Amino acid sequence: MKAKVSQALLFDALQRAGRAISSNCMLPILHGFRLQFLDDRMTVTGGNEQMTIYAGLPLIEQVRRNEADSKKPGPTGLVIPARYMVDIARKLQAPLVELELEDRPILTVRSGGSTFRLCGMELEEYPEMPPLDLALWQLTVPNALLKSMIRQVAFAASTSEIRPLLSGVLCRFDGSSLRLVATDSVRFASHSSRIGPEVASAAFEAIIPGKALAELAKLLQDTQEETTITAYSGHIVFNSSDVSLSCSLLHGTYPPIDKLVPSGYTAELTADTLQLLHAMERVTLLAGEGSVVRLQTGPNTGEEQFVELLAGSAEIGNVREHIRVDHVQGEAIAVSFNGKYMTDILRAMNSSTVKLKFSEKLGPIVAEPLSPIPTSIYLLTRIRTAV
Amino acid sequence: MKAKVSQALLFDALQRAGRAISSNCMLPILHGFRLQFLDDRMTVTGGNEQMTIYAGLPLIEQVRRNEADSKKPGPTGLVIPARYMVDIARKLQAPLVELELEDRPILTVRSGGSTFRLCGMELEEYPEMPPLDLALWQLTVPNALLKSMIRQVAFAASTSEIRPLLSGVLCRFDGSSLRLVATDSVRFASHSSRIGPEVASAAFEAIIPGKALAELAKLLQDTQEETTITAYSGHIVFNSSDVSLSCSLLHGTYPPIDKLVPSGYTAELTADTLQLLHAMERVTLLAGEGSVVRLQTGPNTGEEQFVELLAGSAEIGNVREHIRVDHVQGEAIAVSFNGKYMTDILRAMNSSTVKLKFSEKLGPIVAEPLSPIPTSIYLLTRIRTAV
């Protein structure tokens, strides 16, 4: 079998599918790309135990099958070691690449004056994906919206193995709005977006691995295109033009996180998000290992209102940030929290102005975009300090 | 003492001096920057056991010394932990930074709404540099020429600790030409440049650590400026505007490398440097751990002449590059060598056309820029192979 492809598109497809390939993966065949040829298209597959990425590209010359191939149904192809394949595709300089597959699993790559012969493995040895027969639920979402939602929420999912369920992002559709929720039990992020009324889909709920969603946000092009999300009993598939991501779902009962939102507040303030973010980044530099940062109502002289951020240790030194806020009301504020986590929240927030709300005792700090009907809410547990 | 500086210039000076700071360094005080203030300038010093980098910047407001300071002669200053200082300078957003030094070694950094108080160490605890009293030799070289010379040669110096002398670059001035030579005993690089006749300086020879020269090439701005090289008995100082690098010299007898150049050749070829470099990079991808690449005269059909590059292993596969050359003459070529090393040589070479020369038996391969009087020469030891 012989086929011709564009060097640029081949390299792009290998890079995209390669995002799912991990050298930590226990199954050696998953250190390779599955290359499949069918009619006028080629598919590059990369995977690990949790997720699989499929990247497609058109063939410039249709597949020419030899007699033996043409008797077999389905695609022709092989599995080829990932690191060599990406490096070779990167370094080829001619615009066209010819791929030739013999009966044995050997791939010949010809381009310009180069001829590579690479030893691969049989297509059949690559793990089968679960069958895609019975779709339980389907929804189509614009790529830009999906990327933005993931970026606002997925960072808050846990990266620890202790409570695997919290490494997932809760995805809940109520028939008109899609909501993503993540928490690692110290911080909590939630965002809802109304999906156009033309979408007629049933309510649905699933827990999707946070890492897979983060990869999806990187994979999706910032175009006018859409992604179709299809859920099956044990896994979910995200399908956009030329790229698909499939991952297993997490099973269990997601904690009832909405109950954590305090019912009343003793104080609140609004500030410029970017200004607060930059001050938070600077203060966190001296906050040490525990990343403890203190926020308190500043010395408010005259008409302008200020808050202060404080951090430091006896050995290194200390820092005080003096920040003008748009508005402060309620009791005097004096709270401590993880500065890195607050930095993450301010960075993820899609709003130029942030509202911070404080409640009694050690109730969590609430951060929201300033908006008549906020669609995002972030919670951050307070740290009890001696002073 | 109080002084004001530009945030951008402060960050730049810290980054430059920071290139000499290494977390591997055994002396804890060398994990810090020495900050010195004198009149209308500030100097940032970073160092390790082998080299020291000094970066200067102007003060926007002159140093205001307090009474105690003004009684002491020499600069005022302190030593401050490097990693905090660089991160803080990076994250400050106001254009001006005020630095205040108390009697104790504490630095206060004020900028916008930020106030950092950083614990430092006394200036006197920083190691003294060797005295700069008796200069043995001095030469002034345009920055662009010095950078280009270092880039053509320094890569070939050894990175191993086994023969410390070979980690150095031999620098030899004969009164009119400056020559740099480096070898790790497998490959050898040499470049000579005539220094303008207005320079009246004696002949001189020294062995300079290759790492320090590589840092110097990165530090020097690509401007019309010049660098003054001043040698003292045990060390050498490179001085350009706003930045200086000082390093210890290596002592010993550098091997008589010119004797390695073969006296006669059995074959030679000329090729496009970039085309050969790219083919060499591709072939080296499959050359395995030993990086063994074979070059042989290709099937020359008709008027065009070709050579082939070959590499591979039974497990991974193999590669054949077919390269058109401008000219081949002499006996048939069939040599093996380290492909990574040849790639380094072709990348360092400052010429669009390369001439490769081959000698009898296992004599080294010679690579030269194609030029009537070549100013560079590279040697690469051949690898004895079974076939």
Side-chain angles (χ1 to χ4, degrees):
Chain A
M1 183 231 81
K2 269 190 194 175
K4 263 191 193 151
V5 294
S6 136
Q7 180 270 339
L9 293 182
L10 176 64
F11 178 53
D12 184 59
L14 291 166
Q15 274 198 305
R16 292 213 224 174
R19 301 195 67 92
I21 296 180
S22 155
S23 54
N24 297 330
C25 190
M26 301 291 277
L27 213 58
I29 197 155
L30 291 182
H31 300 170
F33 286 110
R34 178 173 68 179
L35 307 182
Q36 286 175 302
F37 302 86
L38 187 62
D39 304 330
D40 59 348
R41 289 193 65 76
M42 169 179 178
T43 306
V44 179
T45 307
N48 58 44
E49 283 94 343
Q50 282 79 42
M51 78 175 144
T52 310
I53 297 174
Y54 307 84
L57 68 156
L59 301 180
I60 289 165
E61 270 182 30
Q62 293 236 349
V63 174
R64 277 181 286 146
R65 287 165 170 240
N66 59 29
E67 227 173 294
D69 284 340
S70 52
K71 283 174 196 159
K72 285 190 264 171
T76 322
L78 84 170
V79 180
I80 206 87
R83 64 187 186 112
Y84 295 111
M85 197 63 205
V86 174
D87 287 344
I88 290 168
R90 176 186 289 119
K91 294 280 185 191
L92 292 177
Q93 262 151 341
L96 285 187
V97 179
E98 187 186 81
L99 302 170
E100 181 176 351
L101 186 60
E102 298 168 30
D103 287 346
R104 291 175 303 161
I106 289 179
L107 181 72
T108 303
V109 180
R110 286 188 198 87
S111 184
S114 315
T115 308
F116 286 86
R117 273 171 59 86
L118 294 167
C119 305
M121 283 166 285
E122 298 285 358
L123 204 56
E124 292 70 31
E125 293 182 34
Y126 201 81
E128 276 294 312
M129 281 308 295
L132 300 183
D133 44 1
L134 189 66
L136 299 178
W137 177 76
Q138 193 164 62
L139 185 70
T140 299
V141 185
N143 282 3
L145 175 64
L146 188 56
K147 278 173 79 113
S148 159
M149 288 186 74
I150 295 170
R151 286 188 176 151
Q152 285 177 71
V153 173
F155 75 93
S158 170
T159 52
S160 137
E161 304 284 311
I162 298 169
R163 292 178 66 187
L165 199 70
L166 295 191
S167 70
V169 172
L170 178 70
C171 168
R172 184 181 280 163
F173 185 70
D174 64 5
S176 61
S177 284
L178 184 65
R179 183 179 181 196
L180 298 185
V181 177
T183 183
D184 63 359
S185 81
V186 173
R187 56 186 170 175
F188 158 92
S190 163
H191 178 84
S192 297
S193 270
R194 178 164 283 276
I195 305 296
E198 71 278 8
V199 177
S201 176
F204 176 74
E205 188 176 306
I207 304 166
I208 305 168
K211 277 188 195 164
L213 283 186
E215 283 303 336
L216 181 68
K218 288 178 200 154
L219 274 180
L220 292 179
Q221 314 268 13
D222 255 328
T223 55
Q224 298 295 313
E225 285 172 25
E226 295 187 323
T227 294
T228 299
I229 312 173
T230 312
Y232 300 88
S233 69
H235 68 286
I236 195 160
V237 178
F238 298 86
N239 209 358
S240 185
S241 70
D242 287 336
V243 67
S244 296
L245 184 145
S246 161
C247 65
S248 331
L249 292 173
L250 297 169
H251 292 286
T253 307
Y254 202 79
I257 17 79
D258 287 336
K259 289 192 183 160
L260 300 174
V261 181
S263 53
Y265 301 97
T266 56
E268 58 182 66
L269 65 86
T270 55
D272 180 85
T273 312
L274 217 53
Q275 206 194 338
L276 189 59
L277 168 63
H278 290 148
M280 197 68 71
E281 286 177 339
R282 285 191 295 264
V283 167
T284 306
L285 290 175
L286 293 199
E289 293 240 332
S291 200
V292 183
V293 168
R294 187 168 183 82
L295 182 147
Q296 62 189 34
T297 315
N300 291 319
T301 52
E303 286 184 13
E304 297 202 318
Q305 293 185 298
F306 292 92
V307 294
E308 288 182 331
L309 291 174
L310 304 165
S313 65
E315 309 82 57
I316 298 159
N318 58 60
V319 49
R320 176 183 299 262
E321 287 279 343
H322 194 64
I323 306 153
R324 204 178 65 74
V325 291
D326 297 340
H327 185 65
V328 194
Q329 67 175 50
E331 298 172 10
I333 304 161
V335 296
S336 295
F337 49 84
N338 183 309
K340 277 207 190 81
Y341 278 13
M342 183 59 97
T343 302
D344 287 347
I345 288 173
L346 295 171
R347 206 177 274 145
M349 190 171 279
N350 201 1
S351 163
S352 61
T353 310
V354 58
K355 182 183 239 178
L356 295 181
K357 301 197 279 191
F358 307 90
S359 55
E360 279 188 311
K361 304 279 166 58
L362 279 168
I365 300 165
V366 174
E368 283 174 353
L370 185 71
S371 142
I373 310 157
T375 53
S376 305
I377 183 167
Y378 299 91
L379 265 59
L380 178 57
T381 307
R382 283 169 57 181
I383 297 173
R384 196 192 297 262
T385 52
V387 194
Chain B
M1 184 230 80
K2 268 190 193 176
K4 263 191 194 151
V5 294
S6 135
Q7 179 270 338
L9 292 183
L10 176 64
F11 179 52
D12 185 59
L14 291 165
Q15 274 199 304
R16 293 213 224 172
R19 301 195 68 93
I21 296 180
S22 156
S23 53
N24 297 328
C25 191
M26 301 290 276
L27 213 59
I29 197 155
L30 291 182
H31 299 169
F33 286 111
R34 180 173 68 179
L35 307 183
Q36 286 174 304
F37 302 87
L38 187 61
D39 304 329
D40 60 348
R41 288 191 67 76
M42 170 180 177
T43 306
V44 179
T45 307
N48 58 44
E49 283 94 343
Q50 282 78 43
M51 79 177 144
T52 310
I53 296 174
Y54 307 84
L57 67 155
L59 301 181
I60 289 167
E61 271 182 30
Q62 292 237 350
V63 173
R64 278 182 284 145
R65 287 165 172 239
N66 58 29
E67 225 173 294
D69 283 341
S70 52
K71 283 175 195 157
K72 285 189 263 173
T76 320
L78 85 171
V79 180
I80 207 86
R83 64 186 187 113
Y84 294 111
M85 196 62 206
V86 174
D87 287 345
I88 290 168
R90 177 187 287 118
K91 294 282 185 189
L92 291 177
Q93 262 152 339
L96 284 187
V97 179
E98 186 187 82
L99 302 171
E100 181 177 350
L101 186 59
E102 299 167 30
D103 286 347
R104 291 176 301 162
I106 289 179
L107 182 73
T108 303
V109 179
R110 286 190 198 86
S111 184
S114 315
T115 307
F116 286 86
R117 274 171 57 86
L118 295 166
C119 305
M121 284 166 283
E122 298 284 358
L123 204 57
E124 290 70 30
E125 293 182 34
Y126 201 81
E128 276 294 311
M129 281 306 296
L132 301 182
D133 45 0
L134 190 66
L136 299 178
W137 177 77
Q138 194 164 61
L139 186 70
T140 299
V141 184
N143 282 3
L145 174 65
L146 188 57
K147 279 173 79 116
S148 159
M149 288 186 74
I150 294 170
R151 285 187 177 151
Q152 286 177 70
V153 173
F155 74 93
S158 171
T159 53
S160 138
E161 304 284 311
I162 297 168
R163 292 179 66 187
L165 199 70
L166 295 190
S167 70
V169 173
L170 178 70
C171 169
R172 185 180 279 164
F173 184 69
D174 65 5
S176 61
S177 285
L178 183 67
R179 184 179 180 195
L180 297 184
V181 177
T183 182
D184 63 358
S185 81
V186 172
R187 57 187 169 174
F188 158 93
S190 164
H191 179 83
S192 297
S193 270
R194 178 165 285 275
I195 305 297
E198 71 278 9
V199 176
S201 176
F204 176 75
E205 190 175 304
I207 304 166
I208 304 168
K211 276 187 194 164
L213 282 185
E215 283 303 336
L216 180 68
K218 287 177 201 154
L219 275 179
L220 293 179
Q221 313 269 14
D222 255 329
T223 54
Q224 299 295 313
E225 285 171 27
E226 296 188 321
T227 294
T228 300
I229 311 173
T230 312
Y232 300 88
S233 69
H235 69 287
I236 195 161
V237 177
F238 297 86
N239 209 355
S240 186
S241 70
D242 287 337
V243 67
S244 296
L245 185 146
S246 160
C247 66
S248 332
L249 293 173
L250 297 169
H251 292 285
T253 307
Y254 203 79
I257 17 77
D258 287 337
K259 289 192 182 159
L260 300 173
V261 181
S263 54
Y265 301 97
T266 57
E268 59 182 68
L269 66 86
T270 56
D272 180 86
T273 311
L274 216 54
Q275 206 192 338
L276 189 60
L277 168 63
H278 291 148
M280 196 69 70
E281 286 176 340
R282 286 191 295 264
V283 167
T284 307
L285 290 175
L286 293 198
E289 293 241 332
S291 200
V292 183
V293 168
R294 188 169 181 80
L295 181 147
Q296 62 190 32
T297 316
N300 292 321
T301 52
E303 287 183 12
E304 298 200 317
Q305 293 185 297
F306 293 91
V307 293
E308 287 183 332
L309 291 175
L310 305 164
S313 65
E315 309 83 58
I316 298 159
N318 58 60
V319 50
R320 177 183 299 262
E321 287 280 342
H322 194 64
I323 307 151
R324 204 179 66 74
V325 291
D326 297 340
H327 185 68
V328 193
Q329 69 176 46
E331 298 172 11
I333 303 161
V335 296
S336 294
F337 49 84
N338 183 310
K340 278 208 190 81
Y341 277 14
M342 183 59 98
T343 302
D344 287 346
I345 288 172
L346 294 170
R347 207 176 274 145
M349 190 171 280
N350 200 0
S351 162
S352 61
T353 310
V354 57
K355 183 183 238 179
L356 296 180
K357 301 196 281 192
F358 307 90
S359 55
E360 279 187 313
K361 305 278 167 60
L362 279 169
I365 300 165
V366 175
E368 284 173 353
L370 185 71
S371 143
I373 309 156
T375 52
S376 304
I377 184 168
Y378 298 91
L379 265 59
L380 179 58
T381 307
R382 284 168 56 181
I383 296 173
R384 199 191 295 263
T385 53
V387 194

